[in-house]
Amino acid sequence: MSYFIVQNLILTQSEWDFNLGFDKWLNVIILVGITEEIVFRGFLLKKLMQRITFWKANTITAFLFLTIHFPIWYRNGLFESPGILLTCMNVLIIGFIFGVIYKKTNSLWSVIIIHSVYNLCISIFM
């Protein structure tokens, strides 16, 4: 959250949107965090770690996590934005970090909560 506050207060000076509708709370903040983490950390990462090392499995999972965001970005016209490479790097790194957190805590709930808080920050500050 500190990152988003500093970025929006100092760097971009954009307005915060606290007017989040029920649809955004349910879909973007709650369900996306749960479903993506169940699929990517709870299933894919866990299965890949049975066959290859954690670091390789986490890298593959982070890339898959990145690619799952492409359709919505395409629909929203983000691929035409000059910041698309930075956005891709950001999501790739976050996917990798979520895998490390999952491995360290051995808890899917930790990454679900962090993912949901991250999506909340994106919704408010971006």
Side-chain angles (χ1 to χ4, degrees), residues 22-83:
F22 177 75
D23 180 55
K24 189 166 258 189
W25 273 102
L26 180 64
N27 293 324
V28 175
I29 298 166
I30 297 172
L31 293 179
V32 167
I34 292 171
T35 55
E36 285 183 357
E37 293 311 320
I38 288 172
V39 170
F40 289 98
R41 262 50 77 181
F43 179 73
L44 289 174
L45 182 59
K46 191 183 254 184
K47 288 293 184 185
L48 287 171
M49 285 190 321
Q50 292 173 354
R51 299 180 184 269
I52 56 179
T53 66
F54 165 74
W55 296 108
K56 289 179 185 175
N58 194 31
T59 302
I60 292 168
T61 305
F63 273 104
L64 292 172
F65 180 71
L66 168 64
T67 61
I68 196 69
H69 292 87
F70 286 176
I72 189 111
W73 292 347
Y74 179 77
R75 187 190 69 153
N76 292 338
L78 190 62
F79 281 108
E80 299 166 10
S81 166

Side-chain angles (χ1 to χ4, degrees), residues 6-7 11-12 19-21 25 28 40 45 47 57-58 60-61 76 80 89 92-93 99-100 109 121:
V6 168
Q7 179 183 0
L11 301 176
T12 62
N19 189 15
L20 304 176
W25 273 102
V28 175
F40 289 98
L45 182 59
K47 288 293 184 185
N58 194 31
I60 292 168
T61 305
N76 292 338
E80 299 166 10
M89 296 269 300
L92 181 65
I93 291 167
V100 171
W109 282 109
C121 291

